[in-house]
Amino acid sequence: MQAATTGTSQQGGSTWLQTDPLTFRHDLTGADRDYEPVSDVPELTIPFPGVWEISYLARPAISVSTNAALWVTTALFKNNALIPGSEAITGLQASDEVIQNTTGQTFLHKFDAGDRVTLHAYRIGQTGTANILSNADGRTGVMAHWVSPGF
């Protein structure tokens, strides 16, 4: 689901888009460095062109039971292609450890009307479990704020 608050005009108005508060657990089961969509987070559709401030938060959870390293990288995609500079990483190297935190990025990016923004993630390391979570203890979501008609 996508919540939107829109001002009265594109120029000078205030437009915000964001995902609603979500509750989910998305297991990352793919190969190392193989992005997969975090399908529990709905895509944001950009309503009109211009420069948008994009921000996202992701709550990775990582668990290892033997001496191992495991990492989670998150990023945003535009129309199924990586937005360079949106990547964030968290991880650990330990034995019998669990870590959860919130990671993400905020940046400016130019979009066309109808562009679709989605959250993706991958794991590095196959020993242990890695997932993206969202609940009242820590949320995962994507936000967009229209800034200007262009660079």
Side-chain angles (χ1 to χ4, degrees), residues 89-104:
I89 190 168
T90 190
L92 69 97
Q93 180 168 355
S95 182
D96 296 321
E97 295 290 332
V98 176
I99 184 174
Q100 293 186 29
N101 60 17
T102 304
T103 186

Side-chain angles (χ1 to χ4, degrees), residues 22-41:
L22 302 167
T23 299
F24 67 85
R25 174 185 165 150
H26 179 93
D27 294 329
L28 299 172
T29 58
D32 285 4
R33 294 180 171 84
D34 186 12
Y35 274 113
E36 61 186 81
V38 181
S39 55
D40 304 275
V41 178

Side-chain angles (χ1 to χ4, degrees), residues 69-94:
L70 186 56
W71 305 88
V72 171
T73 295
T74 55
L76 292 180
F77 279 49
K78 175 174 73 175
N79 302 328
N80 295 316
L82 174 68
I83 300 174
S86 69
E87 305 92 335
I89 190 168
T90 190
L92 69 97
Q93 180 168 355

Side-chain angles (χ1 to χ4, degrees), residues 49-138:
V51 175
W52 290 74
E53 178 183 48
I54 301 295
S55 183
Y56 77 92
L57 301 171
R59 180 182 163 202
I62 301 168
S63 174
V64 294
S65 58
T66 61
N67 188 24
L70 186 56
W71 305 88
V72 171
T73 295
T74 55
L76 292 180
F77 279 49
K78 175 174 73 175
N79 302 328
N80 295 316
L82 174 68
I83 300 174
S86 69
E87 305 92 335
I89 190 168
T90 190
L92 69 97
Q93 180 168 355
S95 182
D96 296 321
E97 295 290 332
V98 176
I99 184 174
Q100 293 186 29
N101 60 17
T102 304
T103 186
Q105 295 282 8
T106 300
F107 57 95
L108 297 175
H109 191 80
K110 187 174 181 194
F111 291 94
D112 294 324
D115 281 347
R116 296 167 292 112
V117 179
T118 52
L119 179 66
H120 286 64
Y122 66 70
R123 61 188 289 153
I124 305 171
Q126 294 299 308
T127 301
T129 61
N131 39 60
I132 304 295
L133 302 173
S134 185
N135 61 33
D137 295 324

